[in-house]
Amino acid sequence: MADSVTDRFLRYVVIDTQSDAKSPTQPSTMKQKDLGRLLVEELLAIGVSDAHLDEHGYVYGTIPATTTKNNVPVVCFTAHMDTAPDFSGTGVKPQIIRNYQGGDIQLGGDDTQVIKVAEHPVLRDLIGHDIVTSDGTTLLGADDKAGIAEIMSAAAFLIDNPDIKHGAIRILFTTDEEIGRGVDKVDLKKLGADFAYTLDGETAGTIEDETFSADAVEIDIKGVAIHPGFAYGKMENAIRIAGAIIDRLPKDAAPETTKGRDGFIHPTGISGVMEKANLSFIIRDFTEEGLKTKEALLEKITMEVLAGYPGSSFTFTVKDQYRNMKVVLDKHPEIVEFAVEAIRRAGMEPVRGSIRGGTDGSRLSFMGLPCPNIFAGGHAFHSPLEFVSSQDMEKAVKTIVELAKLWEERA
Ligand SMILES: [Zn+2]
């Protein structure tokens, strides 16, 4: 009998693929290639005859076209092999709760780890599902091995059913997504796809075509240093100046006070002595205009504070980080429209979502490969409470197959 998507998933999560931001190499950790090698072996076995692992740890492969139409676009499905550095991925012991009947889920390896319905209300929609968790001592790695297992299962299904008409489909598995380097070494020419879909989202039925736009700001303050005993009327302590700027930040535009489509100004670092101080910020918003407004506000606050310190000065530096992929995707509306239709054909009510962060897809979109994000079915990413439903993973497999069919039908 063919492997189920859950069989595949269980095989992949026990391979430790944690990435490491401190490493200068790509992949950042060589153990990511352990999974890459297994995936290549499995791809070759199911008939993806050009599957290979490159020197950066990426896996490439092609499901050959079965259609005689020559105008079907080349679609890529992509997922990342690494797991987040936030929590251990060594020695993952997956547990399956079959036919979940509701209630909190106590994890077997650590008494303190409980997946609570109150904190994860999505559990109410998963009654009757088979739910996979870790034992509570590691993360599970559904982010993004659920996506990998789904693409692998869809590939096996399409190759086993050549009567299903579709164009050429590229498979790409990346390394180091969790440390922001997932697409640094992708060879888009070799990939040769017209657009792509990441399978790296959460709840079944969701398609995300928006990410934050992101800038970083550095403020360097130069104060007036002097011996504290002779400081009267002269000292301008850079530490106090930095503190005054932080104190004036709008309290309603912080990560902890915003959600949905509201952005924020978020201080991420502070260092200083009397004569100089540095403040680091990240600025997030869904629109370019929103970013600029927040940066202008931060600069105004800085100038107002500095007005009280005539001997001091500052520099204000804005650095581009990434941009909302919607700008690119709106130019090719059918990429998201077809995904919405495929989700519906796979039996779900499609939900459009925005990501309060960036993805490989947002970077790929701006590199010329438009790339929205489809659900993979996992929840509570980057934590020991991570879980995924087998039935939701099967729905993602179905979504991929329906998408492949749709692009051929509509060509
Ligand atoms: Zn992910």
Side-chain angles (χ1 to χ4, degrees):
M1 213 178 81
D3 275 352
S4 72
V5 64
T6 305
D7 294 335
R8 290 185 188 282
F9 178 70
L10 295 174
R11 241 181 357 249
Y12 307 153
V13 292
V14 296
I15 300 173
D16 183 1
T17 56
Q18 190 178 53
S19 48
D20 175 8
K22 286 185 221 89
S23 159
T25 59
Q26 174 111 14
S28 65
T29 53
M30 290 307 144
K31 58 192 177 185
Q32 294 180 64
K33 286 191 172 179
D34 296 342
L35 177 58
R37 274 187 288 267
L38 173 69
L39 293 170
V40 168
E41 232 172 75
E42 292 191 4
L43 283 167
L44 292 171
I46 62 177
V48 176
S49 56
D50 66 344
H52 64 280
L53 182 73
D54 79 357
E55 74 259 44
H56 311 295
Y58 295 126
V59 174
Y60 293 83
T62 310
I63 308 169
T66 53
T67 181
T68 49
K69 291 186 186 174
N70 60 8
N71 60 343
V72 183
V74 178
V75 185
C76 169
F77 292 100
T78 176
H80 64 90
M81 293 183 282
D82 64 316
T83 61
D86 309 284
F87 208 86
S88 170
T90 307
V92 173
K93 293 181 203 68
Q95 326 271 305
I96 307 185
I97 296 134
R98 291 194 195 278
N99 191 14
Y100 168 68
Q101 289 303 306
D104 295 348
I105 299 173
Q106 168 71 58
L107 299 181
D110 181 344
D111 288 349
T112 65
Q113 301 292 356
V114 181
I115 308 173
K116 297 193 173 113
V117 179
E119 284 157 23
H120 303 278
V122 71
L123 282 170
R124 295 198 184 96
D125 301 328
L126 303 182
I127 308 286
H129 287 223
D130 302 329
I131 295 176
V132 188
T133 69
S134 77
D135 71 348
T137 62
T138 65
L139 48 66
L140 175 62
D143 176 13
D144 188 21
K145 287 163 184 164
I148 299 215
E150 290 153 7
I151 294 169
M152 292 292 290
S153 285
F157 181 81
L158 287 171
I159 290 173
D160 283 349
N161 293 275
D163 47 311
I164 297 173
K165 297 279 171 268
H166 59 79
I169 293 165
R170 300 268 195 260
I171 294 168
L172 171 67
F173 297 135
T174 59
T175 57
D176 294 333
E177 190 268 357
E178 298 290 2
I179 55 170
R181 299 187 214 150
V183 298
D184 282 4
K185 306 278 185 186
V186 170
D187 185 342
L188 286 183
K189 227 172 133 190
K190 177 164 102 175
L191 189 66
D194 294 298
F195 48 83
Y197 297 93
T198 45
L199 275 105
D200 195 16
E202 299 191 34
T203 309
T206 309
I207 163 119
E208 293 160 322
D209 61 348
E210 274 209 86
T211 56
F212 269 147
S213 282
D215 280 345
V217 170
E218 294 286 326
I219 302 176
D220 285 298
I221 298 154
K222 208 164 150 272
V224 179
I226 191 164
H227 187 292
F230 305 97
Y232 185 79
K234 291 186 188 111
M235 181 192 284
E236 296 183 10
N237 187 341
I239 298 171
R240 285 191 187 276
I241 298 172
I245 293 168
I246 297 296
D247 187 52
R248 289 200 194 187
L249 293 177
K251 309 275 184 289
D252 60 353
E256 63 271 31
T257 57
T258 51
K259 58 184 180 183
R261 292 189 50 82
D262 291 327
F264 52 73
I265 302 171
H266 176 41
T268 54
I270 179 165
S271 64
V273 290
M274 192 198 328
E275 63 168 321
K276 61 180 182 182
N278 168 274
L279 289 169
S280 305
F281 296 84
I282 59 171
I283 316 291
R284 297 291 185 262
D285 204 277
F286 283 99
T287 66
E288 191 73 23
E289 193 196 342
L291 269 189
K292 296 301 158 214
T293 308
K294 289 182 173 59
E295 285 153 18
L297 175 64
L298 184 54
E299 190 163 19
K300 182 167 163 269
I301 289 170
T302 308
M303 282 186 319
E304 283 170 1
V305 169
L306 266 288
Y309 298 91
S312 301
S313 61
F314 75 99
T315 59
F316 189 94
T317 316
V318 179
K319 280 201 197 87
D320 263 32
Q321 289 187 315
Y322 57 86
R323 288 295 177 263
N324 187 343
M325 63 182 170
K326 198 168 196 312
V327 177
V328 176
L329 290 171
D330 278 350
K331 292 182 195 146
H332 314 275
E334 66 285 0
I335 295 173
V336 172
E337 280 163 24
F338 285 14
V340 166
E341 174 66 17
I343 288 169
R344 195 170 282 126
R345 286 191 187 186
M348 290 159 280
E349 192 48 52
V351 179
R352 296 277 281 265
S354 324
I355 305 169
R356 292 177 65 81
T359 66
D360 272 358
S362 51
R363 289 187 57 209
L364 284 171
S365 294
F366 285 92
M367 285 162 67
L369 189 71
C371 186
N373 187 33
I374 296 177
F375 72 93
H379 300 278
F381 286 176
H382 303 192
S383 87
L385 303 180
E386 205 183 354
F387 61 99
V388 66
S389 137
S390 286
Q391 285 77 3
D392 286 352
M393 286 196 284
E394 278 157 21
K395 287 180 197 158
V397 176
K398 230 174 155 211
T399 302
I400 297 171
V401 171
E402 291 301 327
L403 250 175
K405 290 202 261 187
L406 257 171
W407 281 103
E408 197 274 344
E409 269 173 50
R410 304 278 170 93

